[in-house]
Amino acid sequence: MRSKVIFLLMIFLHLQSFAQHTNSFISLRSGVSIPLKPYNSHDLEKGSFTQPGINLSADGAWFFTKHYGIGGQAGLNLHPVDVSALSRAKVDADPFLSSLTIRSDPFRIINAALGIYTHWNIGKNFSVNAKLLGGILWANTAYQLYKPTYFLTGPDYYEITTARDHKFIIEPGIGLEYKISSCFALKADVELLSRTMQFGFNTWEGVRYDRKRISFINAVIGFAIFL
């Protein structure tokens, strides 16, 4: 009987020691989402005239060892459109246009991914984190309302409706963590997302497909709870 109690006690202490060395967490994050070229370029064919926007996301991981774990992340990214630059480019490209006013929604990007997380201490309260995830990127182009003025004659307004596409994506990321207590931490993460998407637009000639490279960096700050 005594040997069984000792054996169970050793198992309990081993599990306690293992739990103390894991870094499993869940976190809520927000920050800036920065478009990269050609996604942010002022090129009517390849660019999307996007500007820095916001990211809202959540992630979490279960660490099966002190340094390695598995987890996932989901986030929403909104990238507003530089309508002034887009208007100038449209007018410059069309000799029949004298002016153009554009109202635009932002590009809306949603991502969800799973993969490997790592954690390495670099001091008493600081640690470096890295991850490599794979998942799905859903991209929605901006709904836009155009009010043109022509040298001769033309429509009073027209619209470009939203187009959608989704693709598999690989998402690398790296971050810094400051441990406030045994239960809470502040996290700062940087992530790269990039994928060529194909958007279909209905025109009077039929469906037109545009291939656009959607690339951006998320720089976010979050509040983590250790599990």
Side-chain angles (χ1 to χ4, degrees):
M1 181 67 180
R2 180 181 300 177
S3 63
K4 290 182 179 180
V5 172
I6 294 174
F7 178 72
L8 292 174
L9 181 61
M10 290 177 63
I11 293 177
F12 176 77
L13 291 175
H14 175 73
L15 291 175
Q16 284 292 101
S17 175
F18 176 80
Q20 290 174 2
H21 288 296
T22 60
N23 299 287
S24 304
F25 72 93
I26 56 173
S27 72
L28 296 176
R29 314 174 312 160
S30 66
V32 62
S33 187
I34 306 170
L36 305 175
K37 291 186 180 298
Y39 182 40
N40 67 347
S41 68
H42 295 174
D43 184 299
L44 290 174
E45 181 179 352
K46 297 181 179 180
S48 297
F49 293 79
T50 51
Q51 297 176 300
I54 64 170
N55 168 271
L56 301 173
S57 56
D59 75 335
W62 173 73
F63 278 76
F64 49 85
T65 72
K66 183 178 180 180
H67 298 298
Y68 297 98
I70 55 175
Q73 173 188 312
L76 169 66
N77 306 276
L78 299 176
H79 301 131
V81 175
D82 187 344
V83 292
S84 297
L86 180 58
S87 298
R88 289 193 300 270
K90 291 279 188 178
V91 171
D92 292 341
D94 190 340
F96 297 102
L97 271 177
S98 62
S99 66
L100 177 63
T101 300
I102 301 175
R103 294 179 61 184
S104 178
D105 290 342
F107 278 72
R108 187 171 73 253
I109 314 295
I110 297 172
N111 68 288
L114 301 172
I116 299 296
Y117 283 69
T118 66
H119 179 102
W120 302 90
N121 293 327
I122 57 173
K124 181 179 180 181
N125 295 317
F126 286 95
S127 60
V128 172
N129 306 290
K131 61 189 174 186
L132 184 63
L133 310 180
I136 302 296
L137 188 74
W138 291 271
N140 295 262
T141 63
Y143 170 83
Q144 296 175 342
L145 180 64
Y146 286 67
K147 294 185 177 181
T149 301
Y150 293 91
F151 287 111
L152 297 175
T153 183
D156 293 332
Y157 69 92
Y158 61 94
E159 62 181 2
I160 297 178
T161 56
T162 297
R164 301 174 179 85
D165 192 17
H166 64 277
K167 290 285 192 305
F168 178 79
I169 190 172
I170 297 295
E171 178 185 343
I174 191 168
L176 183 67
E177 179 184 294
Y178 174 72
K179 194 171 184 179
I180 301 173
S181 69
S182 60
C183 298
F184 305 107
L186 292 177
K187 292 168 56 69
D189 297 313
V190 177
E191 303 150 357
L192 172 65
L193 296 93
S194 183
R195 193 67 163 88
T196 298
M197 316 293 282
Q198 181 169 277
F199 302 107
F201 297 93
N202 293 318
T203 69
W204 65 275
E205 295 179 323
V207 180
R208 184 191 79 243
Y209 291 98
D210 291 351
R211 290 173 61 84
K212 300 283 188 178
R213 187 75 181 181
I214 305 295
S215 301
F216 56 93
I217 290 175
N218 288 333
V220 297
I221 296 175
F223 181 75
I225 300 175
F226 294 116
L227 302 178

